[in-house]
Amino acid sequence: MKRILFLICLLIAFSCLSQTEPKVAKEVNAAPSILTFNLLSPFSPYNPRYRLGYIKGFSERWRAGLDIGYGSEAINFFSIGENVGEDYQLFEIRPEVYFILNPVNKVKQHISLELFYIDQKETLIDNNYILENDNRIQFDRADFHRKKIGTHLKYGAFLPITRKFGVNAYAGFGIKYRDNTFSNIINPRSGGEFLDEFSFFERYREEDGSLFSMNFSFGFKLYYLLN
């Protein structure tokens, strides 16, 4: 939560500095076409994937975009230790609507509403999980399946680096519904030691069943302006 608040404050401060430039008439690209690449998702320790997106402008203030992400054991190059299991595969889709707060400025702040769906499968080795009654089950091998849907309200800014390239930084919060299932469990037994090696990441693979709760989002996208 502190990281989200810090990123929001940083974006606001940067955007306020951009307002000090002289207020002169500028040509506004009312219908930009933008390609994006998420800079953080390939380095996620538990669900690395590559996320590409496309954003289309429809007026000076309104834009709509779609991100599609995919990760698999064959193409991912980063994971911490043995966090990513065998036969790992993830697919996600994220439609988003943007409202540009200051279309005439070089740094374009925005508020956006994002919907997301994630489907993840992998085989976990020598691991454990918690049942809904808080009992922990240790196993030698199990097939894990996660489905997650939700929505985020985000604040961000398109920060140009050159005329064509820039970074879209954003942060926000929302709600999620997550459903975890474990199947084809080999040698299940009661107990198991809980090792939270990276407590600042969500240990979503250790809870069986469904969960409805808040969700946070922050990140950086490299963008390329097509027109």
Side-chain angles (χ1 to χ4, degrees), residues 48-88:
R49 71 273 196 195
Y50 300 97
R51 207 162 90 194
L52 301 176
Y54 175 74
I55 301 173
K56 175 63 178 177
F58 297 97
S59 70
E60 292 183 358
R61 291 192 178 273
W62 290 100
R63 298 177 182 178
L66 181 69
D67 275 24
I68 294 178
Y70 180 76
S72 73
E73 185 180 12
I75 66 174
N76 291 322
F77 63 89
F78 179 83
S79 64
I80 297 177
E82 301 297 327
N83 290 327
V84 178
E86 294 182 356
D87 300 321
Y88 165 79

Side-chain angles (χ1 to χ4, degrees), residues 40-54:
L40 297 184
S41 62
F43 303 99
S44 174
Y46 295 105
N47 49 14
R49 71 273 196 195
Y50 300 97
R51 207 162 90 194
L52 301 176
Y54 175 74

Side-chain angles (χ1 to χ4, degrees), residues 101-167:
L101 299 173
N102 52 347
V104 299
N105 286 359
K106 186 177 181 181
V107 175
K108 290 179 170 51
Q109 305 169 63
H110 66 77
I111 295 175
S112 64
L113 181 66
E114 176 191 61
L115 305 177
F116 63 88
Y117 171 77
I118 297 175
D119 189 286
Q120 176 182 350
K121 297 178 181 179
E122 60 184 305
T123 299
L124 303 180
I125 309 297
D126 191 20
N127 213 316
N128 59 84
Y129 67 94
I130 304 173
L131 298 171
E132 292 183 341
N133 61 7
D134 292 333
N135 289 329
R136 185 172 292 277
I137 301 297
Q138 181 82 17
F139 57 81
D140 292 343
R141 186 183 184 95
D143 293 334
F144 171 74
H145 188 193
R146 174 178 71 124
K147 292 184 178 180
K148 181 179 176 181
I149 60 174
T151 182
H152 293 131
L153 180 64
K154 301 194 298 188
Y155 167 78
F158 291 92
L159 313 172
I161 299 174
T162 67
R163 189 177 69 86
K164 288 286 189 179
F165 285 96
V167 173

